[in-house]
Amino acid sequence: MLEEFGPEIWIAEGPTVRAAAGFHYPTRMAIIRLSNEGLVVWSPVAFSPELGCAVDALGTVRYIVPPNSLHDTFLAEWQQAYPDAEILAPPGLRKKRPDLVFAGELAGITVPGWQAEIDVVVVPGNRITSEAVLFHRASGTAIFADLLQQFSPGWFKGWRALVARLDLMTRQTPSVPRKFRLAFTNRDAARFAVRQILDWPSKRVLIAHGTPVSENGQAFLRDAFHWLIKS
């Protein structure tokens, strides 16, 4: 149920979820174990007792981290299962989910309690959502939710397949969807944030929707965001 992705980081695949216009997306979560044995649960998928047992075997869930205002489907399940864990709110999620209790904001370079183990950069200025991108130092992993996506050519059918291709969602490597590129209203702010991300010594890149990058992560990210940095 849990797959080791690197030192002190695991991933788990979740169910397919439906979004606007009938598009369906696979889901993936990550679990990071801190040096104090606390766990950071990133972008949680559907909770089940079996998944909970597998997570509990790694340590104690201390933080639940939705990376943006779109990845909130299963948060209530995890808050119910782990009422003592802190949910950190990315920009826009407090207003969207008044039913949830948030312990703080997911912003800045580090989060209290993570010390020097995880860095956070929020990429702002996008009409769709502002995304918090994480960097797990121990494994050299940059972690993205929706800013990078990749689907196999046969994942979508009919007119959705055409839209996905035009949106750059079915390329051979993960890419920033065209709709996100066009939705940036403040490219200077986004460019500043992305440059911080590109400075990370990323070995791996983990994404919620698509094939993870297992090597040469920093070079991959520079290529993926070349259109923004050079614009």
Side-chain angles (χ1 to χ4, degrees):
M1 183 167 289
L2 295 181
E3 176 186 349
E4 187 172 6
F5 187 71
E8 303 301 324
I9 183 170
W10 294 260
I11 58 176
E13 308 297 327
T16 300
V17 297
R18 290 200 172 273
F23 284 88
H24 58 288
Y25 292 79
T27 56
R28 173 182 293 132
M29 66 182 286
I31 303 96
I32 297 171
R33 183 163 59 193
L34 302 172
S35 58
N36 62 6
E37 301 298 315
L39 302 179
V40 177
V41 175
W42 173 87
S43 190
V45 300
F47 182 82
S48 69
E50 295 78 13
L51 179 56
C53 286
V55 170
D56 292 341
L58 299 177
T60 302
V61 176
R62 300 293 188 195
Y63 303 95
I64 299 172
V65 179
N68 59 40
S69 61
L70 305 177
H71 281 231
D72 64 317
T73 304
F74 305 111
L75 289 178
E77 301 174 9
W78 284 80
Q79 187 163 71
Q80 182 176 4
Y82 298 99
D84 294 330
E86 298 184 7
I87 299 184
L88 302 178
L93 191 54
R94 281 185 184 269
K95 182 178 181 179
K96 180 182 179 183
R97 295 297 303 270
D99 58 306
L100 297 175
V101 178
F102 294 97
E105 303 296 322
L106 187 60
I109 302 302
T110 59
V111 174
W114 292 0
Q115 301 173 351
E117 299 184 62
I118 301 174
D119 294 333
V120 181
V121 169
V122 174
V123 181
N126 196 290
R127 289 191 300 269
I128 298 174
T129 189
S130 293
E131 180 164 311
V133 182
L134 275 59
F135 179 67
H136 178 229
R137 296 188 180 187
S139 65
T141 303
I143 308 175
F144 287 79
D146 294 322
L147 275 178
L148 291 170
Q149 299 182 30
Q150 181 198 28
F151 299 86
S152 65
W155 178 264
F156 298 109
K157 304 297 182 183
W159 64 268
R160 294 183 182 87
L162 175 61
V163 171
R165 181 172 63 82
L166 294 175
D167 201 25
L168 309 179
M169 295 166 64
T170 56
R171 304 179 101 180
Q172 291 185 342
T173 57
S175 176
V176 181
R178 193 185 302 275
K179 61 178 173 286
F180 276 90
R181 301 185 188 202
L182 296 176
F184 277 112
T185 57
N186 188 340
R187 288 205 169 197
D188 288 340
R191 191 177 297 112
F192 179 79
V194 167
R195 281 178 173 151
Q196 295 177 68
I197 293 170
L198 297 182
D199 284 340
W200 292 336
S202 301
K203 300 176 183 177
R204 306 171 177 87
V205 180
L206 182 62
I207 62 179
H209 313 298
T211 305
V213 175
S214 58
E215 59 184 9
N216 299 322
Q218 191 177 48
F220 160 76
L221 290 174
R222 290 187 183 280
D223 183 64
F225 287 96
H226 177 82
W227 61 272
L228 175 63
I229 297 301
K230 296 301 182 181
S231 63

